[in-house]
């Protein structure tokens, strides 16, 4: 079988002695005498035929019986927001590099595995998680795998070939991300006349709001591999073992494709499914098992505080403020969840902060020693870390936990923010995992969607960012009652949600709209002593409000301007706004006003391109 090899740059190579290496298909006198197992040739050809010529690259070593197989897994099916949150480049394939024995192939030693993206060499935590998953998968398969066993399996594939002898070309959606027809952004904009008035580029809006996927990768039909349909391929189904009929290389590529979309649903260490109260969130995370926490610490997968402060200082500043608000709340025993799991830097075998042995006073002391993020951006991070370590050796580990435990994607909005919200502290906030977003898109296609505010005390957001918006009605988390039934409370009117956030009153008292309007007018007539464009939060007196997208199905209960959504899958956070030192937002904003909707869609379109 005459196979043509694929070339790649020296930067992608891990080999040190390049003079002894040559690419597959290039003739070399040393390697010409080395035996190459025919099953390896067959499996390489199967990858090319089922996927594409560019899906596999092969490198032989001139004097040793080793061969590197690079499998290029297309991840363009990931939403842009998911890829950004996971720190992967969706326009570039993930490379699985497997090293086999050239002459023995499946009869030889278990292959080593490397996972990387050529242009994403720093902080590729997802690659470490995927490497661990594929390593465990390969070890299980290798127990019974051999060239003879594979040959027996492949004898069953006579129907795989057409009469002409060429392999059938298949097209199928990848995993749970099946292409979905474009859906309306929300009911009001379904009107063609209003669309014209708003003058919004439809493509820009749909990229975030519809998030449909278009895949043209050549992959076999679902029934060929014996998988469940894409809509059911969640949870344990993503661990189903693909068929061996088309070779081991196709099998491991397909397994990687199954696992990638659901990485956030499994612990990055033990690969067991998360059992979080409200389901999985957007970012991959470690589970609460102590062994996993220790391993997570020693693996170095935890987000580096230095990198996060350098690239997103305003977000880190907000995360610390939320943690502080929850910890200082009289309700901390209920709302400060999750409690940190932090390894003792002086004794890596013990937990300095342990959810099973909560010590709020010690936690408060460490948090008080975390230096302001503003200071961290003004000097050498290593020097500032040394200062924190002198104040409290647990301060920096706690800061790392605050950053790495955040399971939502938060980005500070640029100058093209929502001006009607009257605050410089505006953030894009996405917390829904891919599976929930897929269900949201499906419901949106059927019923449409609109925007509404959700107000909640700043002390609650430490938990919301890690557990999602939950239906707190009739639970210990409930604070304001549930006069209109069980569900997530929303409103198209800003003053109502501002009231739930505690703005303009004591922390747990509800102000009236008139009080908010009076306070807003008074604040706007008082000369501001500090710049409204301040980069960092400068007060501990904070209030916040979220702007959510909600499905307008019959499940959404509207009681005047108070809406109740009992289906948590029908509410997704989109934006987050913070007010400080008694600052009050405009109490008269109505998300159903066409001008307000136009502004929201403008910022959504701008933010897609910014990210």
């Amino acid at each position: 079988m005459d196979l043509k090899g694929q070339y790649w740059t020296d930067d992608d190579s891990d080999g040190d002695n390049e003079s002894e290496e040559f690419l597959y298909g290039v003739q070399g006198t040393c390697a010409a005498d080395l035996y190459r197992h025919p099953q390896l040739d067959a499996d390489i050809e199967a990858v090319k035929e089922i996927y594409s010529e560019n899906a596999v690259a092969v490198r032989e070593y001139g004097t040793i019986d080793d061969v590197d197989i690079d499998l290029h897994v297309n991840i363009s099916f990931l939403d842009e927001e998911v890829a950004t949150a996971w720190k992967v480049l969706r326009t570039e394939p993930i490379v699985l590099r497997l090293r086999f024995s050239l002459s023995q192939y499946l009869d030889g030693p278990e292959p080593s595995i490397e996972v990387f993206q050529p242009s994403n060499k720093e902080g590729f935590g997802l690659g470490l998680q995927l490497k661990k998953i594929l390593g465990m998968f390969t070890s299980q398969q290798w127990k019974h795998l051999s060239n003879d066993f594979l040959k027996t399996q492949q004898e069953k594939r006579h129907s795989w070939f057409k009469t002409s002898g060429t392999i059938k070309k298949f097209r199928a959606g990848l995993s749970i991300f099946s292409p979905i027809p474009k859906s309306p952004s929300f009911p009001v904009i379904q009107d063609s006349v209003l669309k014209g008035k708003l003058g919004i580029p439809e493509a820009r809006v749909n990229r975030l709001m519809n998030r449909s996927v278009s895949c043209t990768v050549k992959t076999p039909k679902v029934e060929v591999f014996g998988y469940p349909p894409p809509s059911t391929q969640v949870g344990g189904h993503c661990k189903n073992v693909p068929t061996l009929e088309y070779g081991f290389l196709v099998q491991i590529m397909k397994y990687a494709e199954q696992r990638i979309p659901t990485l956030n649903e499994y612990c990055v260490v033990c690969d067991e499914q998360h059992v979080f109260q409200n389901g999985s969130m957007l970012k991959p995370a470690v589970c609460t098992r102590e062994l996993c926490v220790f391993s997570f610490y020693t693996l170095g997968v935890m987000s580096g505080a230095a990198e996060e402060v350098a690239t997103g200082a305003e977000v880190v500043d907000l995360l610390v403020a939320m943690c502080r608000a929850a910890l200082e709340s009289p309700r901390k025993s209920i709302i400060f969840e999750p409690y940190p799991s932090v390894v003792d830097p002086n004794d890596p075998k013990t937990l300095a902060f342990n959810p099973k042995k909560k010590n709020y006073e010690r936690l408060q002391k460490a948090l008080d020693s975390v230096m302001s993020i503003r200071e961290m951006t003004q000097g050498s991070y290593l020097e500032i870390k040394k200062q924190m370590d002198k104040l409290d050796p647990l301060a920096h580990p706690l800061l790392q936990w605050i950053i790495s435990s955040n399971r939502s994607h938060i980005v500070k909005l640029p100058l093209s923010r929502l001006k009607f919200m009257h605050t410089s502290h505006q953030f894009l906030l996405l917390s829904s995992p891919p599976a929930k977003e897929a269900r949201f898109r499906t419901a949106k296609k059927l019923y449409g969607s609109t925007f509404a505010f959700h107000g909640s005390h700043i002390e609650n957001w430490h938990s919301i960012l890690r557990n999602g918006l939950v239906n707190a009605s009739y639970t210990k988390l409930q604070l304001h009652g549930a006069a209109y039934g069980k569900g997530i409370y929303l409103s198209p009117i800003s003053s109502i949600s501002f009231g739930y956030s505690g703005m303009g009153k004591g922390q747990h008292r509800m102000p009236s709209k008139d009080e908010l309007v009076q306070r807003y007018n008074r604040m706007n007539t008082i000369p501001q002593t500090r710049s409204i464009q301040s980069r960092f939060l400068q007060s501990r007196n904070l209030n916040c409000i979220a702007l959510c997208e909600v499905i307008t199905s019959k499940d959404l209960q509207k009681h005047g301007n108070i809406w109740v959504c009992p289906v948590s899958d029908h509410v997704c956070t989109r934006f987050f706004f913070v007010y400080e030192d008694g600052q009050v937002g405009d109490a008269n904003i109505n998300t159903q006003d066409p001008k307000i909707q136009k502004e929201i869609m403008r910022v959504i379109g701008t933010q897609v391109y910014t990210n």
Side-chain angles (χ1 to χ4, degrees), residues 260-395:
I260 288 172
T262 58
L263 288 177
N264 61 302
E265 299 180 14
Y266 291 82
C267 172
V268 299
V269 176
C270 68
D271 199 34
E272 292 296 323
Q273 198 160 15
H274 286 305
V275 289
F276 295 117
Q277 176 186 358
N278 201 36
S280 61
M281 292 284 283
L282 178 55
K283 288 185 177 181
V286 67
C287 69
T288 56
R289 299 177 183 89
E290 289 188 15
L291 287 177
C292 291
V293 173
F294 291 130
S295 299
F296 189 60
Y297 178 81
T298 57
L299 280 174
V301 183
M302 185 179 292
S303 298
E307 177 193 353
E308 295 291 339
V309 169
T311 60
E314 297 94 335
V315 172
V316 176
D317 190 39
L318 176 63
L319 294 175
V320 172
M322 289 174 170
C323 180
R324 190 184 306 278
L327 187 57
E328 293 177 352
S329 168
R331 302 170 63 236
K332 58 179 172 285
S333 61
I334 298 174
I335 63 169
F336 193 77
E337 180 64 34
Y339 184 92
S341 295
V342 174
V343 176
D344 190 335
N346 297 321
D347 184 1
K349 295 183 179 180
T350 62
L351 289 180
F353 293 125
N354 189 338
K356 296 179 180 177
K357 300 176 182 177
K358 297 179 181 180
N359 186 336
Y360 295 109
E361 290 183 6
R362 182 65 185 91
L363 194 59
Q364 184 72 60
K365 179 178 181 298
L367 188 59
D368 288 340
S369 300
V370 173
M371 301 186 70
S372 76
I373 307 304
R374 187 189 309 105
E375 291 177 287
M376 293 185 190
T377 61
Q378 294 174 349
S380 165
Y381 188 87
L382 288 178
E383 289 301 318
I384 291 172
K385 179 184 179 298
K386 287 180 181 178
Q387 294 181 41
M388 275 197 288
D389 289 343
K390 288 181 180 178
L391 291 171
D392 191 326
L394 297 183

Side-chain angles (χ1 to χ4, degrees), residues 16-277:
D16 295 322
N17 191 357
E18 294 181 1
S19 63
E20 293 187 348
E21 302 172 11
F22 72 99
L23 297 175
Y24 191 84
V26 181
Q27 297 302 313
T29 55
C30 294
D33 296 329
L34 291 176
Y35 173 71
R36 186 171 64 239
H37 201 284
Q39 188 62 58
L40 175 61
D41 287 346
D43 282 11
I44 292 170
E45 187 66 16
V47 173
K48 292 182 177 182
E49 291 292 342
I50 290 176
Y51 290 91
S52 73
E53 289 284 332
N54 296 325
V56 60
V58 185
R59 179 178 62 184
E60 294 181 16
Y61 294 78
T63 58
I64 57 176
D65 185 35
D66 278 350
V67 59
D68 283 349
I69 308 294
D70 282 8
L71 302 174
H72 297 180
V73 179
N74 189 337
I75 60 168
S76 61
F77 57 86
L78 289 177
D79 287 341
E80 290 184 31
E81 294 76 28
V82 173
T84 302
W86 290 4
K87 298 183 179 179
V88 296
L89 306 173
R90 64 185 295 272
T91 56
E92 183 175 280
I94 289 178
V95 179
L96 316 180
R97 177 169 291 174
L98 294 90
R99 178 167 293 182
F100 296 96
S101 163
L102 181 66
S103 61
Q104 299 178 74
Y105 188 35
L106 302 181
D107 293 332
E110 180 180 326
S112 63
I113 300 176
E114 296 296 329
V115 179
F116 60 92
Q117 277 191 307
S119 302
N120 189 9
K121 297 182 178 180
E122 299 296 330
F124 189 44
L126 182 139
L128 294 174
Q129 183 182 0
L130 191 57
K131 176 183 177 180
K132 189 176 183 70
I133 288 171
L134 296 179
M136 291 190 293
F137 174 78
T138 302
S139 296
Q140 288 296 321
Q141 296 303 106
W142 219 254
K143 293 177 181 178
H144 59 78
L145 202 56
S146 68
N147 293 309
D148 289 340
F149 179 80
L150 180 56
K151 184 177 180 181
T152 301
Q153 294 293 310
Q154 290 181 323
E155 289 174 354
K156 303 175 182 179
R157 68 178 187 179
H158 60 277
S159 61
W160 188 32
F161 292 90
K162 292 182 178 179
T163 308
S164 61
T166 59
I167 300 175
K168 296 178 182 179
K169 306 296 183 183
F170 299 107
R171 295 181 66 188
L174 291 174
S175 191
I176 62 173
F177 294 91
S178 300
I180 297 174
K182 291 188 180 299
S183 58
S185 296
F186 45 82
V188 179
I189 290 188
Q190 290 178 27
D191 184 88
S192 58
V193 176
L194 183 55
K195 271 189 181 179
K197 289 182 180 179
L198 297 185
I200 303 164
E202 186 175 357
R204 294 175 65 189
V205 172
N206 284 338
R207 287 180 66 184
L208 177 61
M209 302 313 302
N210 293 326
R211 301 192 187 178
S212 59
V213 186
S214 177
C215 301
T216 57
V217 182
K218 293 191 294 182
T219 51
K221 285 183 178 178
V222 173
E223 60 266 27
V224 173
F225 283 95
Y227 301 144
S231 61
T232 64
Q233 199 168 26
V234 293
H237 294 302
C238 70
K239 289 189 174 184
N240 285 355
V241 178
T243 181
L244 260 176
E245 289 184 40
Y246 310 106
F248 176 70
L249 300 182
V250 171
Q251 182 190 48
I252 197 168
M253 281 189 76
K254 196 61 190 177
Y255 188 70
E257 289 173 350
Q258 289 176 191
R259 295 306 310 273
I260 288 172
T262 58
L263 288 177
N264 61 302
E265 299 180 14
Y266 291 82
C267 172
V268 299
V269 176
C270 68
D271 199 34
E272 292 296 323
Q273 198 160 15
H274 286 305
V275 289
F276 295 117
Q277 176 186 358

Side-chain angles (χ1 to χ4, degrees), residues 509-546:
R509 295 176 60 195
M510 289 278 288
S512 67
K513 179 178 179 179
D514 289 341
E515 288 174 317
L516 284 169
V517 170
Q518 290 174 9
R519 188 169 180 81
Y520 171 74
N521 292 334
R522 186 169 68 252
M523 290 295 291
N524 282 349
T525 59
I526 299 174
Q528 297 298 307
T529 57
R530 66 169 66 116
S531 170
I532 194 172
Q533 300 297 332
S534 175
R535 181 183 176 191
F536 297 103
L537 299 170
Q538 301 183 49
S539 168
R540 295 190 182 184
N541 178 20
L542 303 174
N543 295 100
C544 54
I545 188 173

Side-chain angles (χ1 to χ4, degrees), residues 591-606:
T591 61
Q592 305 307 291
D593 182 336
K595 292 181 181 179
I596 298 297
Q597 291 175 349
K598 178 180 179 180
E599 182 72 2
I600 293 172
M601 302 311 289
R602 179 191 65 79
V603 174
I604 284 175
T606 303

